[in-house]
mmCIF file of all heavy atoms in Angstrom:
data_model
loop_
_atom_site.group_PDB
_atom_site.id
_atom_site.type_symbol
_atom_site.label_atom_id
_atom_site.label_comp_id
_atom_site.label_asym_id
_atom_site.label_seq_id
_atom_site.Cartn_x
_atom_site.Cartn_y
_atom_site.Cartn_z
ATOM 1 N N ILE A 1135 29.936 400.296 127.929
ATOM 2 C CA ILE A 1135 30.935 401.301 128.319
ATOM 3 C C ILE A 1135 32.230 400.622 128.671
ATOM 4 O O ILE A 1135 33.339 401.032 128.272
ATOM 5 C CB ILE A 1135 30.447 402.099 129.543
ATOM 6 C CG1 ILE A 1135 29.089 402.755 129.260
ATOM 7 C CG2 ILE A 1135 31.432 403.158 129.954
ATOM 8 C CD1 ILE A 1135 28.463 403.378 130.463
ATOM 9 N N VAL A 1136 32.125 399.564 129.462
ATOM 10 C CA VAL A 1136 33.295 398.837 129.913
ATOM 11 C C VAL A 1136 34.115 398.320 128.735
ATOM 12 O O VAL A 1136 35.331 398.496 128.673
ATOM 13 C CB VAL A 1136 32.878 397.648 130.793
ATOM 14 C CG1 VAL A 1136 34.053 396.752 131.075
ATOM 15 C CG2 VAL A 1136 32.314 398.159 132.095
ATOM 16 N N LEU A 1137 33.450 397.713 127.805
ATOM 17 C CA LEU A 1137 34.156 397.103 126.681
ATOM 18 C C LEU A 1137 34.802 398.170 125.796
ATOM 19 O O LEU A 1137 35.897 397.969 125.253
ATOM 20 C CB LEU A 1137 33.215 396.223 125.897
ATOM 21 C CG LEU A 1137 32.727 395.017 126.698
ATOM 22 C CD1 LEU A 1137 31.635 394.282 125.940
ATOM 23 C CD2 LEU A 1137 33.878 394.091 127.021
ATOM 24 N N LEU A 1138 34.125 399.280 125.617
ATOM 25 C CA LEU A 1138 34.688 400.373 124.824
ATOM 26 C C LEU A 1138 35.971 400.853 125.454
ATOM 27 O O LEU A 1138 36.987 401.025 124.777
ATOM 28 C CB LEU A 1138 33.678 401.515 124.740
ATOM 29 C CG LEU A 1138 34.168 402.833 124.113
ATOM 30 C CD1 LEU A 1138 34.644 402.589 122.708
ATOM 31 C CD2 LEU A 1138 33.055 403.862 124.136
ATOM 32 N N LEU A 1139 35.958 401.070 126.751
ATOM 33 C CA LEU A 1139 37.162 401.538 127.469
ATOM 34 C C LEU A 1139 38.245 400.466 127.425
ATOM 35 O O LEU A 1139 39.435 400.779 127.333
ATOM 36 C CB LEU A 1139 36.790 401.887 128.907
ATOM 37 C CG LEU A 1139 35.898 403.127 129.065
ATOM 38 C CD1 LEU A 1139 35.402 403.224 130.481
ATOM 39 C CD2 LEU A 1139 36.645 404.375 128.674
ATOM 40 N N THR A 1140 37.855 399.220 127.497
ATOM 41 C CA THR A 1140 38.802 398.118 127.444
ATOM 42 C C THR A 1140 39.591 398.153 126.163
ATOM 43 O O THR A 1140 40.819 398.054 126.150
ATOM 44 C CB THR A 1140 38.101 396.764 127.558
ATOM 45 O OG1 THR A 1140 37.397 396.729 128.802
ATOM 46 C CG2 THR A 1140 39.075 395.611 127.492
ATOM 47 N N ILE A 1141 38.869 398.289 125.040
ATOM 48 C CA ILE A 1141 39.523 398.329 123.735
ATOM 49 C C ILE A 1141 40.531 399.459 123.678
ATOM 50 O O ILE A 1141 41.665 399.313 123.235
ATOM 51 C CB ILE A 1141 38.484 398.459 122.621
ATOM 52 C CG1 ILE A 1141 37.689 397.161 122.475
ATOM 53 C CG2 ILE A 1141 39.135 398.842 121.300
ATOM 54 C CD1 ILE A 1141 36.540 397.252 121.515
ATOM 55 N N ALA A 1142 40.097 400.654 124.171
ATOM 56 C CA ALA A 1142 40.969 401.828 124.125
ATOM 57 C C ALA A 1142 42.232 401.624 124.948
ATOM 58 O O ALA A 1142 43.333 401.926 124.511
ATOM 59 C CB ALA A 1142 40.209 403.048 124.635
ATOM 60 N N VAL A 1143 42.078 401.078 126.145
ATOM 61 C CA VAL A 1143 43.201 400.952 127.052
ATOM 62 C C VAL A 1143 44.135 399.844 126.613
ATOM 63 O O VAL A 1143 45.352 399.995 126.575
ATOM 64 C CB VAL A 1143 42.708 400.672 128.496
ATOM 65 C CG1 VAL A 1143 43.874 400.347 129.390
ATOM 66 C CG2 VAL A 1143 41.976 401.896 129.023
ATOM 67 N N TYR A 1144 43.583 398.686 126.258
ATOM 68 C CA TYR A 1144 44.443 397.573 125.898
ATOM 69 C C TYR A 1144 45.226 397.839 124.617
ATOM 70 O O TYR A 1144 46.315 397.304 124.430
ATOM 71 C CB TYR A 1144 43.597 396.298 125.768
ATOM 72 C CG TYR A 1144 43.544 395.530 127.073
ATOM 73 C CD1 TYR A 1144 42.888 396.077 128.170
ATOM 74 C CD2 TYR A 1144 44.144 394.285 127.204
ATOM 75 C CE1 TYR A 1144 42.829 395.411 129.378
ATOM 76 C CE2 TYR A 1144 44.091 393.595 128.407
ATOM 77 C CZ TYR A 1144 43.424 394.162 129.488
ATOM 78 O OH TYR A 1144 43.367 393.483 130.661
ATOM 79 N N SER A 1145 44.680 398.673 123.738
ATOM 80 C CA SER A 1145 45.394 398.986 122.519
ATOM 81 C C SER A 1145 46.615 399.832 122.780
ATOM 82 O O SER A 1145 47.510 399.899 121.962
ATOM 83 C CB SER A 1145 44.454 399.689 121.529
ATOM 84 O OG SER A 1145 44.074 400.939 122.050
ATOM 85 N N CYS A 1146 46.652 400.495 123.969
ATOM 86 C CA CYS A 1146 47.759 401.396 124.279
ATOM 87 C C CYS A 1146 48.776 400.767 125.219
ATOM 88 O O CYS A 1146 49.819 401.326 125.459
ATOM 89 C CB CYS A 1146 47.211 402.675 124.924
ATOM 90 S SG CYS A 1146 46.145 403.614 123.824
ATOM 91 N N ARG A 1147 48.480 399.612 125.770
ATOM 92 C CA ARG A 1147 49.425 398.983 126.699
ATOM 93 C C ARG A 1147 50.669 398.508 125.960
ATOM 94 O O ARG A 1147 50.622 398.070 124.819
ATOM 95 C CB ARG A 1147 48.760 397.796 127.395
ATOM 96 C CG ARG A 1147 47.821 398.219 128.503
ATOM 97 C CD ARG A 1147 47.357 397.004 129.257
ATOM 98 N NE ARG A 1147 46.615 397.382 130.445
ATOM 99 C CZ ARG A 1147 46.162 396.541 131.347
ATOM 100 N NH1 ARG A 1147 46.363 395.244 131.201
ATOM 101 N NH2 ARG A 1147 45.486 396.968 132.397
ATOM 102 N N LYS A 1148 51.785 398.515 126.669
ATOM 103 C CA LYS A 1148 53.060 398.162 126.063
ATOM 104 C C LYS A 1148 53.409 396.684 126.314
ATOM 105 O O LYS A 1148 54.509 396.333 126.661
ATOM 106 C CB LYS A 1148 54.170 399.053 126.595
ATOM 107 C CG LYS A 1148 53.950 400.521 126.206
ATOM 108 C CD LYS A 1148 55.053 401.399 126.724
ATOM 109 C CE LYS A 1148 54.848 402.869 126.334
ATOM 110 N NZ LYS A 1148 55.907 403.741 126.846
ATOM 111 N N TYR A 1149 52.397 395.829 126.139
ATOM 112 C CA TYR A 1149 52.660 394.382 126.225
ATOM 113 C C TYR A 1149 53.217 393.934 124.879
ATOM 114 O O TYR A 1149 52.799 394.394 123.821
ATOM 115 C CB TYR A 1149 51.366 393.610 126.498
ATOM 116 C CG TYR A 1149 50.877 393.696 127.909
ATOM 117 C CD1 TYR A 1149 49.562 394.074 128.161
ATOM 118 C CD2 TYR A 1149 51.717 393.418 128.962
ATOM 119 C CE1 TYR A 1149 49.106 394.162 129.457
ATOM 120 C CE2 TYR A 1149 51.263 393.492 130.267
ATOM 121 C CZ TYR A 1149 49.961 393.861 130.518
ATOM 122 O OH TYR A 1149 49.495 393.930 131.790
ATOM 123 N N TYR A 1150 54.136 392.959 124.954
ATOM 124 C CA TYR A 1150 54.540 392.331 123.707
ATOM 125 C C TYR A 1150 53.599 391.160 123.481
ATOM 126 O O TYR A 1150 53.503 390.251 124.294
ATOM 127 C CB TYR A 1150 55.964 391.810 123.790
ATOM 128 C CG TYR A 1150 56.282 390.866 122.642
ATOM 129 C CD1 TYR A 1150 56.376 391.355 121.334
ATOM 130 C CD2 TYR A 1150 56.420 389.509 122.862
ATOM 131 C CE1 TYR A 1150 56.611 390.497 120.287
ATOM 132 C CE2 TYR A 1150 56.660 388.638 121.834
ATOM 133 C CZ TYR A 1150 56.766 389.136 120.536
ATOM 134 O OH TYR A 1150 56.992 388.285 119.484
ATOM 135 N N ILE A 1151 52.882 391.210 122.377
ATOM 136 C CA ILE A 1151 51.924 390.153 122.067
ATOM 137 C C ILE A 1151 52.408 389.438 120.800
ATOM 138 O O ILE A 1151 52.601 390.052 119.755
ATOM 139 C CB ILE A 1151 50.515 390.697 121.830
ATOM 140 C CG1 ILE A 1151 50.026 391.425 123.105
ATOM 141 C CG2 ILE A 1151 49.552 389.584 121.448
ATOM 142 C CD1 ILE A 1151 48.665 392.053 122.938
ATOM 143 N N ASP A 1152 52.592 388.151 120.922
ATOM 144 C CA ASP A 1152 52.939 387.337 119.761
ATOM 145 C C ASP A 1152 51.650 387.039 118.988
ATOM 146 O O ASP A 1152 50.833 386.218 119.392
ATOM 147 C CB ASP A 1152 53.558 386.012 120.248
ATOM 148 C CG ASP A 1152 53.866 385.084 119.078
ATOM 149 O OD1 ASP A 1152 53.711 385.528 117.927
ATOM 150 O OD2 ASP A 1152 54.255 383.922 119.330
ATOM 151 N N HIS A 1153 51.463 387.767 117.895
ATOM 152 C CA HIS A 1153 50.199 387.646 117.162
ATOM 153 C C HIS A 1153 50.049 386.278 116.497
ATOM 154 O O HIS A 1153 48.974 385.957 115.992
ATOM 155 C CB HIS A 1153 50.084 388.767 116.145
ATOM 156 C CG HIS A 1153 49.965 390.106 116.768
ATOM 157 N ND1 HIS A 1153 48.798 390.577 117.358
ATOM 158 C CD2 HIS A 1153 50.894 391.093 116.971
ATOM 159 C CE1 HIS A 1153 49.006 391.800 117.854
ATOM 160 N NE2 HIS A 1153 50.259 392.115 117.634
ATOM 161 N N GLY A 1154 51.060 385.463 116.539
ATOM 162 C CA GLY A 1154 50.929 384.124 116.035
ATOM 163 C C GLY A 1154 50.052 383.227 116.884
ATOM 164 O O GLY A 1154 49.641 382.163 116.455
ATOM 165 N N PHE A 1155 49.762 383.688 118.099
ATOM 166 C CA PHE A 1155 48.940 382.873 118.977
ATOM 167 C C PHE A 1155 47.481 382.872 118.534
ATOM 168 O O PHE A 1155 46.708 382.007 118.928
ATOM 169 C CB PHE A 1155 49.023 383.338 120.437
ATOM 170 C CG PHE A 1155 48.066 384.439 120.795
ATOM 171 C CD1 PHE A 1155 46.773 384.116 121.205
ATOM 172 C CD2 PHE A 1155 48.436 385.773 120.753
ATOM 173 C CE1 PHE A 1155 45.877 385.127 121.538
ATOM 174 C CE2 PHE A 1155 47.560 386.768 121.097
ATOM 175 C CZ PHE A 1155 46.261 386.447 121.481
ATOM 176 N N ARG A 1156 47.088 383.838 117.707
ATOM 177 C CA ARG A 1156 45.650 383.995 117.385
ATOM 178 C C ARG A 1156 45.080 382.728 116.752
ATOM 179 O O ARG A 1156 44.000 382.287 117.119
ATOM 180 C CB ARG A 1156 45.494 385.203 116.457
ATOM 181 C CG ARG A 1156 44.088 385.365 115.862
ATOM 182 C CD ARG A 1156 43.012 385.419 116.922
ATOM 183 N NE ARG A 1156 43.196 386.488 117.863
ATOM 184 C CZ ARG A 1156 42.442 386.640 118.960
ATOM 185 N NH1 ARG A 1156 41.484 385.772 119.237
ATOM 186 N NH2 ARG A 1156 42.659 387.639 119.754
ATOM 187 N N GLU A 1157 45.802 382.123 115.807
ATOM 188 C CA GLU A 1157 45.261 380.942 115.154
ATOM 189 C C GLU A 1157 45.113 379.802 116.144
ATOM 190 O O GLU A 1157 44.077 379.119 116.190
ATOM 191 C CB GLU A 1157 46.176 380.523 114.008
ATOM 192 C CG GLU A 1157 45.633 379.305 113.255
ATOM 193 C CD GLU A 1157 46.509 378.946 112.069
ATOM 194 O OE1 GLU A 1157 47.442 379.723 111.764
ATOM 195 O OE2 GLU A 1157 46.244 377.882 111.452
ATOM 196 N N THR A 1158 46.161 379.607 116.972
ATOM 197 C CA THR A 1158 46.077 378.530 117.984
ATOM 198 C C THR A 1158 44.935 378.785 118.953
ATOM 199 O O THR A 1158 44.153 377.866 119.294
ATOM 200 C CB THR A 1158 47.386 378.446 118.752
ATOM 201 O OG1 THR A 1158 48.439 378.164 117.827
ATOM 202 C CG2 THR A 1158 47.333 377.346 119.823
ATOM 203 N N TYR A 1159 44.832 380.014 119.419
ATOM 204 C CA TYR A 1159 43.812 380.341 120.403
ATOM 205 C C TYR A 1159 42.410 380.210 119.830
ATOM 206 O O TYR A 1159 41.495 379.725 120.472
ATOM 207 C CB TYR A 1159 44.057 381.762 120.927
ATOM 208 C CG TYR A 1159 43.172 382.133 122.079
ATOM 209 C CD1 TYR A 1159 43.181 381.374 123.237
ATOM 210 C CD2 TYR A 1159 42.342 383.235 122.035
ATOM 211 C CE1 TYR A 1159 42.380 381.697 124.314
ATOM 212 C CE2 TYR A 1159 41.540 383.576 123.092
ATOM 213 C CZ TYR A 1159 41.577 382.808 124.240
ATOM 214 O OH TYR A 1159 40.770 383.120 125.308
ATOM 215 N N THR A 1160 42.253 380.643 118.570
ATOM 216 C CA THR A 1160 40.955 380.512 117.897
ATOM 217 C C THR A 1160 40.581 379.047 117.763
ATOM 218 O O THR A 1160 39.412 378.670 117.995
ATOM 219 C CB THR A 1160 40.991 381.171 116.515
ATOM 220 O OG1 THR A 1160 41.268 382.569 116.668
ATOM 221 C CG2 THR A 1160 39.662 381.016 115.814
ATOM 222 N N ASN A 1161 41.550 378.210 117.420
ATOM 223 C CA ASN A 1161 41.252 376.797 117.313
ATOM 224 C C ASN A 1161 40.825 376.194 118.647
ATOM 225 O O ASN A 1161 39.921 375.354 118.687
ATOM 226 C CB ASN A 1161 42.482 376.049 116.781
ATOM 227 C CG ASN A 1161 42.791 376.370 115.317
ATOM 228 O OD1 ASN A 1161 41.898 376.830 114.605
ATOM 229 N ND2 ASN A 1161 44.011 376.154 114.897
ATOM 230 N N VAL A 1162 41.475 376.608 119.716
ATOM 231 C CA VAL A 1162 41.107 376.109 121.050
ATOM 232 C C VAL A 1162 39.660 376.532 121.359
ATOM 233 O O VAL A 1162 38.876 375.705 121.830
ATOM 234 C CB VAL A 1162 42.059 376.655 122.119
ATOM 235 C CG1 VAL A 1162 41.517 376.353 123.527
ATOM 236 C CG2 VAL A 1162 43.431 376.056 121.974
ATOM 237 N N ASN A 1163 39.318 377.777 121.091
ATOM 238 C CA ASN A 1163 37.955 378.239 121.333
ATOM 239 C C ASN A 1163 36.934 377.436 120.525
ATOM 240 O O ASN A 1163 35.892 377.055 121.017
ATOM 241 C CB ASN A 1163 37.833 379.716 120.974
ATOM 242 C CG ASN A 1163 38.133 380.616 122.171
ATOM 243 O OD1 ASN A 1163 38.249 380.138 123.280
ATOM 244 N ND2 ASN A 1163 38.294 381.890 121.892
ATOM 245 N N GLU A 1164 37.269 377.206 119.271
ATOM 246 C CA GLU A 1164 36.334 376.456 118.405
ATOM 247 C C GLU A 1164 36.135 375.031 118.907
ATOM 248 O O GLU A 1164 35.025 374.477 118.860
ATOM 249 C CB GLU A 1164 36.875 376.428 116.977
ATOM 250 C CG GLU A 1164 36.769 377.804 116.282
ATOM 251 C CD GLU A 1164 37.347 377.776 114.878
ATOM 252 O OE1 GLU A 1164 37.968 376.750 114.513
ATOM 253 O OE2 GLU A 1164 37.181 378.784 114.150
ATOM 254 N N VAL A 1165 37.187 374.423 119.437
ATOM 255 C CA VAL A 1165 37.087 373.065 119.936
ATOM 256 C C VAL A 1165 36.164 373.015 121.144
ATOM 257 O O VAL A 1165 35.262 372.176 121.221
ATOM 258 C CB VAL A 1165 38.470 372.481 120.285
ATOM 259 C CG1 VAL A 1165 38.303 371.188 121.063
ATOM 260 C CG2 VAL A 1165 39.271 372.247 119.018
ATOM 261 N N ILE A 1166 36.383 373.884 122.110
ATOM 262 C CA ILE A 1166 35.585 373.784 123.341
ATOM 263 C C ILE A 1166 34.169 374.263 123.161
ATOM 264 O O ILE A 1166 33.290 373.894 123.935
ATOM 265 C CB ILE A 1166 36.260 374.545 124.511
ATOM 266 C CG1 ILE A 1166 36.253 376.052 124.254
ATOM 267 C CG2 ILE A 1166 37.647 374.041 124.790
ATOM 268 C CD1 ILE A 1166 36.755 376.870 125.424
ATOM 269 N N HIS A 1167 33.923 375.064 122.144
ATOM 270 C CA HIS A 1167 32.552 375.562 121.929
ATOM 271 C C HIS A 1167 31.830 374.881 120.767
ATOM 272 O O HIS A 1167 30.690 375.210 120.471
ATOM 273 C CB HIS A 1167 32.575 377.070 121.674
ATOM 274 C CG HIS A 1167 32.981 377.864 122.863
ATOM 275 N ND1 HIS A 1167 32.206 377.994 123.995
ATOM 276 C CD2 HIS A 1167 34.102 378.586 123.111
ATOM 277 C CE1 HIS A 1167 32.838 378.752 124.881
ATOM 278 N NE2 HIS A 1167 33.977 379.111 124.358
ATOM 279 N N LYS A 1168 32.496 373.900 120.145
ATOM 280 C CA LYS A 1168 31.892 373.252 118.974
ATOM 281 C C LYS A 1168 30.556 372.641 119.314
ATOM 282 O O LYS A 1168 29.588 372.766 118.564
ATOM 283 C CB LYS A 1168 32.843 372.176 118.443
ATOM 284 C CG LYS A 1168 32.355 371.515 117.160
ATOM 285 C CD LYS A 1168 33.358 370.541 116.618
ATOM 286 C CE LYS A 1168 32.848 369.915 115.316
ATOM 287 N NZ LYS A 1168 33.835 368.951 114.778
ATOM 288 N N ASP A 1169 30.493 371.968 120.436
ATOM 289 C CA ASP A 1169 29.189 371.456 120.909
ATOM 290 C C ASP A 1169 29.205 371.539 122.433
ATOM 291 O O ASP A 1169 29.396 370.564 123.132
ATOM 292 C CB ASP A 1169 28.940 370.038 120.434
ATOM 293 C CG ASP A 1169 27.487 369.626 120.631
ATOM 294 O OD1 ASP A 1169 26.791 370.323 121.392
ATOM 295 O OD2 ASP A 1169 27.045 368.650 120.033
ATOM 296 N N SER A 1170 29.015 372.737 122.920
ATOM 297 C CA SER A 1170 29.181 372.973 124.353
ATOM 298 C C SER A 1170 28.072 372.345 125.192
ATOM 299 O O SER A 1170 28.176 372.307 126.413
ATOM 300 C CB SER A 1170 29.230 374.490 124.634
ATOM 301 O OG SER A 1170 28.054 375.128 124.161
ATOM 302 N N THR A 1171 27.011 371.833 124.546
ATOM 303 C CA THR A 1171 25.972 371.181 125.321
ATOM 304 C C THR A 1171 26.326 369.722 125.562
ATOM 305 O O THR A 1171 25.674 369.051 126.368
ATOM 306 C CB THR A 1171 24.613 371.249 124.587
ATOM 307 O OG1 THR A 1171 24.734 370.536 123.324
ATOM 308 C CG2 THR A 1171 24.191 372.661 124.359
ATOM 309 N N LYS A 1172 27.373 369.217 124.889
ATOM 310 C CA LYS A 1172 27.744 367.805 125.060
ATOM 311 C C LYS A 1172 29.161 367.631 125.605
ATOM 312 O O LYS A 1172 29.425 366.703 126.347
ATOM 313 C CB LYS A 1172 27.621 367.073 123.709
ATOM 314 C CG LYS A 1172 26.195 367.015 123.186
ATOM 315 C CD LYS A 1172 26.126 366.276 121.867
ATOM 316 C CE LYS A 1172 24.682 366.215 121.359
ATOM 317 N NZ LYS A 1172 24.589 365.529 120.028
ATOM 318 N N MET A 1173 30.077 368.494 125.229
ATOM 319 C CA MET A 1173 31.467 368.344 125.651
ATOM 320 C C MET A 1173 31.761 369.290 126.809
ATOM 321 O O MET A 1173 31.779 370.516 126.654
ATOM 322 C CB MET A 1173 32.408 368.668 124.489
ATOM 323 C CG MET A 1173 33.875 368.409 124.808
ATOM 324 S SD MET A 1173 34.966 368.802 123.426
ATOM 325 C CE MET A 1173 34.905 370.588 123.435
ATOM 326 N N PRO A 1174 31.991 368.790 128.022
ATOM 327 C CA PRO A 1174 32.247 369.661 129.181
ATOM 328 C C PRO A 1174 33.575 370.418 128.988
ATOM 329 O O PRO A 1174 34.533 369.892 128.448
ATOM 330 C CB PRO A 1174 32.322 368.677 130.354
ATOM 331 C CG PRO A 1174 31.706 367.427 129.873
ATOM 332 C CD PRO A 1174 31.956 367.374 128.412
ATOM 333 N N PHE A 1175 33.613 371.667 129.448
ATOM 334 C CA PHE A 1175 34.871 372.394 129.471
ATOM 335 C C PHE A 1175 34.925 373.309 130.688
ATOM 336 O O PHE A 1175 33.893 373.687 131.263
ATOM 337 C CB PHE A 1175 35.061 373.185 128.173
ATOM 338 C CG PHE A 1175 34.128 374.335 127.994
ATOM 339 C CD1 PHE A 1175 34.446 375.607 128.491
ATOM 340 C CD2 PHE A 1175 32.942 374.196 127.300
ATOM 341 C CE1 PHE A 1175 33.574 376.668 128.332
ATOM 342 C CE2 PHE A 1175 32.072 375.242 127.127
ATOM 343 C CZ PHE A 1175 32.387 376.494 127.649
ATOM 344 N N PHE A 1176 36.132 373.645 131.070
ATOM 345 C CA PHE A 1176 36.364 374.501 132.247
ATOM 346 C C PHE A 1176 37.583 375.372 131.914
ATOM 347 O O PHE A 1176 38.714 374.886 131.861
ATOM 348 C CB PHE A 1176 36.618 373.655 133.479
ATOM 349 C CG PHE A 1176 36.563 374.403 134.785
ATOM 350 C CD1 PHE A 1176 35.358 374.660 135.394
ATOM 351 C CD2 PHE A 1176 37.729 374.839 135.387
ATOM 352 C CE1 PHE A 1176 35.294 375.338 136.598
ATOM 353 C CE2 PHE A 1176 37.676 375.530 136.593
ATOM 354 C CZ PHE A 1176 36.466 375.779 137.199
ATOM 355 N N LYS A 1177 37.324 376.628 131.669
ATOM 356 C CA LYS A 1177 38.366 377.561 131.184
ATOM 357 C C LYS A 1177 38.550 378.680 132.187
ATOM 358 O O LYS A 1177 37.603 379.381 132.531
ATOM 359 C CB LYS A 1177 37.939 378.105 129.825
ATOM 360 C CG LYS A 1177 38.958 379.015 129.142
ATOM 361 C CD LYS A 1177 38.404 379.434 127.777
ATOM 362 C CE LYS A 1177 39.376 380.290 127.000
ATOM 363 N NZ LYS A 1177 38.811 380.727 125.714
ATOM 364 N N VAL A 1178 39.777 378.831 132.666
ATOM 365 C CA VAL A 1178 40.076 379.807 133.718
ATOM 366 C C VAL A 1178 40.855 380.977 133.137
ATOM 367 O O VAL A 1178 41.942 380.779 132.527
ATOM 368 C CB VAL A 1178 40.875 379.164 134.856
ATOM 369 C CG1 VAL A 1178 41.209 380.199 135.940
ATOM 370 C CG2 VAL A 1178 40.082 378.004 135.467
#
């Protein structure tokens, strides 16, 4: 329920989002989760 409402609300917010960040952010996620049992990470 929470996530459904989240999608609905966030899609209507008037934030300016630079969609160019997606590739960079995806790469960061892939790096820290590539082998999460061996490489420590701390994401806030």
Side-chain angles (χ1 to χ4, degrees):
I1135 304 172
V1136 170
L1137 294 172
L1138 172 58
L1139 292 169
T1140 300
I1141 289 173
V1143 172
Y1144 268 66
S1145 64
C1146 297
R1147 283 188 171 184
K1148 296 181 180 179
Y1149 285 128
Y1150 166 69
I1151 300 177
D1152 177 7
H1153 294 283
F1155 86 86
R1156 171 55 59 187
E1157 182 177 353
T1158 300
Y1159 188 57
T1160 299
N1161 290 339
V1162 170
N1163 271 348
E1164 288 178 351
V1165 168
I1166 67 174
H1167 292 291
K1168 184 176 182 180
D1169 194 343
S1170 58
T1171 62
K1172 295 180 180 179
M1173 185 180 72
F1175 69 89
F1176 193 83
K1177 184 177 182 182
V1178 179

